[in-house]
Amino acid sequence: MKKYPKETAVGIFVIVGLAAIIYMSVKLGDVRMFADDHYRVQASFNDVSGLREKSPVEMMGVPIGYVDRIDLDLDNRKAVLTLSIENRVHLLDDAIASVKTSGLIGDKYIKITPGGVGDPIEPGGVIIETESAIDIEDLISKYVFGKV
């Protein structure tokens, strides 16, 4: 019987390398394969400029979810966001969702200000109170041209 120690070592190396590539792709891509421990709620905004799908949703500076989907409601002239919120976080119907900017680069995220005495929002429910993004370019142009 012939032994193939080099071929065996190369085969094991290739299998370990492929497993590492698959693991890193899943982790870096934030892929949720089997368990989904999130529920979805919707929120309507006048303007969500710069916000993207998979943008973080934070409450008190702690990530609690992400923007799952961005749609356009032409009838009401609103941008409708579907937010994916962790099951451990229970939002109340008097919570406020705001589009905020982090850092100088201008990455956008959703900030949830928790409510105090409302009823819980059920999965598939709606956050009624929202605040749209502040457009810095718009403010500067108003100031420059004396419309403030």
Side-chain angles (χ1 to χ4, degrees), residues 79-91:
V80 179
L81 302 183
T82 302
L83 308 176
S84 187
I85 307 294
E86 294 176 2
N87 285 334
R88 66 183 176 92
V89 177
H90 303 287
L91 298 178

Side-chain angles (χ1 to χ4, degrees), residues 19-48:
I21 289 172
I22 291 170
Y23 175 77
M24 292 303 291
S25 297
V26 169
K27 283 307 229 184
L28 291 176
D30 198 23
V31 176
R32 290 163 182 81
M33 292 175 60
F34 301 111
D36 190 20
D37 57 346
H38 290 74
Y39 66 97
R40 273 122 186 108
V41 296
Q42 291 189 338
S44 297
F45 293 87
N46 292 328
D47 186 15
V48 292

